[in-house]
Amino acid sequence: MRLAFAVLASLLVFSLVTPSADAAPRPGCECPTPSIDRLQQWLASGEGTTVPPTGNLLVREGNRYTAKVSFLNAEWHVVVVWLGNQFEAQADLSRSAGFWLTYRASDDLYVQLRPASHWSGGDKWLTLVPSTGGKVVTKFFSFAPRAWTSLPELGTPAYSFASALREARGLVFVGKTPNELAFSGLRIAGYRPPCL
């Protein structure tokens, strides 16, 4: 009887400390410097009239950080998130299903997947980030190729979407309308950004 109890107790302890294969991934701990889901570089690029006009957008809210920016005027605005927390870094997202974005937006905008080999210019693969009517929502964005397109106004990418996933340098949020934006979460399936 004592042996059976010891075996059952051992199994219970083992099951409590061993994660299930079905368990949802837990977000990693934050970086020692300001970050959102370990992403430390949320940057206003200076393209388009924004508040703030340039620099890191992270602001403290309670015990967490939020990236806040206002797009002003009817012109293209650009906000950059470096996936490896520095410009020279890149990530292979070819095995990732996509990402969860927690955000608030007063109007529609887009997110571009920018590869290291084709960083500059507007001719990128992108997907719509819909307005939330000013409410905070969490939405999943798939990396399935059919979910991504391009805009004639910005140009057609001269590279495949698959190649962009293999050498992803950043996610770049762009919009052409006035918009009040706040980002409080960005988790990429199967990818853990390195803290710098």
Side-chain angles (χ1 to χ4, degrees):
M1 180 73 170
R2 235 182 263 166
L3 180 60
F5 179 78
V7 170
L8 283 173
S10 299
L11 288 173
L12 178 61
V13 169
F14 183 76
S15 68
L16 291 175
V17 298
T18 305
S20 162
D22 304 335
R26 288 181 13 203
C29 61
E30 289 295 344
C31 298
T33 58
S35 65
I36 297 172
D37 291 319
R38 298 175 62 90
L39 293 164
Q40 298 166 286
Q41 301 295 325
W42 295 75
L43 307 169
S45 71
E47 298 168 80
T49 309
T50 62
V51 177
T54 58
N56 205 316
L57 304 174
L58 292 174
V59 295
R60 192 168 188 85
E61 289 193 333
N63 61 352
R64 302 198 61 185
Y65 285 89
T66 301
K68 291 187 172 182
V69 65
S70 299
F71 290 176
L72 309 178
N73 308 325
E75 59 188 355
W76 284 105
H77 313 85
V78 178
V79 167
V80 177
V81 181
W82 292 341
L83 299 179
N85 288 321
Q86 58 185 333
F87 180 72
E88 298 78 14
Q90 64 187 58
D92 182 351
L93 303 181
S94 60
R95 293 176 184 237
S96 176
F99 63 92
W100 292 265
L101 182 67
T102 302
Y103 72 105
R104 182 178 74 232
S106 59
D107 203 353
D108 292 347
L109 67 154
Y110 300 92
V111 62
Q112 298 176 327
L113 178 65
R114 291 205 183 185
S117 64
H118 293 83
W119 175 257
S120 298
D123 55 345
K124 305 292 176 265
W125 294 106
L126 54 74
T127 193
L128 178 70
V129 178
S131 168
T132 69
K135 297 177 183 173
V136 176
V137 303
T138 299
K139 180 174 171 50
F140 182 74
F141 294 85
S142 172
F143 282 144
R146 67 181 176 280
W148 295 74
T149 188
S150 60
L151 291 179
E153 181 178 354
L154 297 177
T156 303
Y159 55 91
S160 70
F161 181 70
S163 70
L165 280 173
R166 284 192 303 272
E167 53 169 310
R169 176 172 281 169
L171 290 172
V172 177
F173 295 91
V174 298
K176 197 177 180 181
T177 58
N179 209 338
E180 293 297 322
L181 296 163
F183 303 95
S184 53
L186 200 171
R187 288 186 299 119
I188 302 169
Y191 176 67
R192 189 172 193 255
C195 290
L196 297 183

